[in-house]
């Protein structure tokens, strides 16, 4: 009896140890949690720049660097599963140090234009660095797109947190502004961007990302056959310097109506004063739905590859820009030349020149308060 009890106990121990071994074995590769990968990418003014790779289980891959918080590449599958990089840019850091139109970059402190580079806040007039004729564009001469951000991988969230502290008076803006931008790649093949900022003096802030998308793949011709839908009944018309007039104009009956999907090229050549002013689409849309809640506001579909990009945001506006000023002067990834309309941008934002337009949603950030916004670009194919 004792011996058989002993044998039983031994068998039990053996079985238990076997089952323990099984439980502790690494899970199959597919079930491995996805983690951001970091690598050195060069340096700017002696400051090291890192490149982070975020991947989704379905295969989407975003590479983002700490210089300018730039989305360096964005690979997504088409309807046959073939991957392509759908973001314009350069192969190495050097390219991004040349003059280029904000490829993939984080834009701050103020996305888009502030007329004559001036605004009044609490009775004081602030003069900003001007870099677009008489106007201030995308934060000035050295905006957030040219800063080296501090990067921190967020393994649990499959994300990258970037922080930049902009000193009081930088590019003319008041207040020390601490900005944190978190990029996350979700299981839904989404590149999610969470923006947050605090200041020690009242100031204005309008943060966005300036990725140039071509869903056929970067450098694969123009985006005129891409079909676009924007959930907006109105847009903000501009003057010849692309400063909003302050009006909100109905899209109904104009080439600006994208409430149902339309090919971007279908009406871009029409003789329309607003299209002429922008040399194509370069306009802010007044998004439907409640600003402050994350809602789907746009969808782009590329018929030849089936790629789809859905845009959701908490922002009240989006700048739809058709790469009108791309002129082939930038040699991009793989030596591709980016001509006019080689990409489109959907820059979620507050409206341009809001600090001078009391009627527009306010971009003021008060000392001690925190602004927060979220935008997500979701990729699929059909
Ligand atoms: C602006 C365009 C500008 C482009 C690149 C867009 O956000 O609306 O007018 O040319 O950025 O700077």
């Amino acid at each position: 009896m004792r011996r058989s009890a002993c044998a039983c106990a031994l068998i039990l121990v053996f079985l238990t140890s076997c089952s323990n071994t099984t439980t502790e074995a690494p899970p199959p590769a597919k079930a491995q949690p996805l983690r951001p990968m970091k690598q050195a990418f060069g340096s700017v003014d002696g400051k090291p720049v890192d490149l982070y790779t975020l991947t989704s289980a379905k295969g989407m891959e975003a590479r983002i660097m700490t210089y300018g918080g730039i989305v360096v590449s964005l690979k997504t599958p088409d309807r046959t599963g073939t991957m392509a990089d759908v973001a314009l840019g350069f192969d190495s850091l050097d390219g991004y140090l040349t003059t280029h139109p904000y490829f993939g970059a984080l834009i701050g402190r103020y996305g888009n234009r502030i007329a004559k580079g001036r605004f009044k806040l609490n009775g004081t007039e602030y003069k900003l660095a001007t870099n677009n004729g008489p106007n201030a564009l995308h934060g000035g001469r050295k905006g957030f797109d040219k800063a080296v951000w501090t990067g921190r991988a967020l393994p649990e969230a499959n994300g990258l947190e970037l922080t930049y502290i902009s000193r009081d008076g930088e590019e003319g803006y008041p207040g020390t502004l601490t900005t944190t931008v978190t990029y996350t790649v979700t299981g839904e093949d989404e590149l999610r961007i969470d923006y947050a900022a605090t200041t020690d003096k009242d100031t204005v802030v309008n943060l966005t990302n300036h990725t140039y998308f071509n869903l056929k793949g970067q450098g694969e011709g123009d985006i005129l056959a891409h079909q676009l839908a924007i959930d907006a009944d109105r847009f903000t018309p501009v003057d010849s310097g692309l400063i909003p007039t302050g009006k909100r104009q109905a899209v109904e009956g104009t080439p600006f109506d994208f409430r149902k999907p339309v090919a971007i090229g279908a009406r871009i050549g029409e003789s329309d004063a607003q299209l002429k002013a922008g040399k194509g689409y370069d306009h802010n849309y007044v998004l439907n739905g409640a600003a402050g809640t994350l809602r789907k506001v746009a969808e782009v579909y590329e018929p030849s590859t089936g790629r789809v990009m859905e845009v959701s945001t908490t922002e009240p506006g989006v700048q739809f820009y058709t790469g009108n000023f791309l002129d082939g002067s930038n040699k991009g990834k793989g030596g591709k030349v980016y001509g006019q309309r080689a990409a489109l941008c959907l820059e979620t934002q507050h409206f341009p020149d809001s600090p001078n337009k009391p009627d527009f949603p306010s971009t003021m950030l008060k000392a001690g308060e925190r602004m927060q916004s979220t935008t997500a670009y979701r990729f699929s194919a059909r």
Side-chain angles (χ1 to χ4, degrees), residues 348-364:
T348 54
Q349 60 180 9
H350 272 56
F351 306 171
D353 201 30
S354 296
N356 294 308
K357 301 279 188 308
D359 208 25
F360 283 177
S362 173
T363 49
M364 180 174 173

Side-chain angles (χ1 to χ4, degrees), residues 102 112-113 137-138 210 212 242 282 319 321 325 347:
Y102 305 90
N112 216 283
R113 294 174 175 80
L137 175 67
H138 295 331
H210 211 305
Y212 285 74
L242 293 176
D282 192 355
Q319 185 81 9
Y321 173 56
F325 300 112
E347 304 152 60

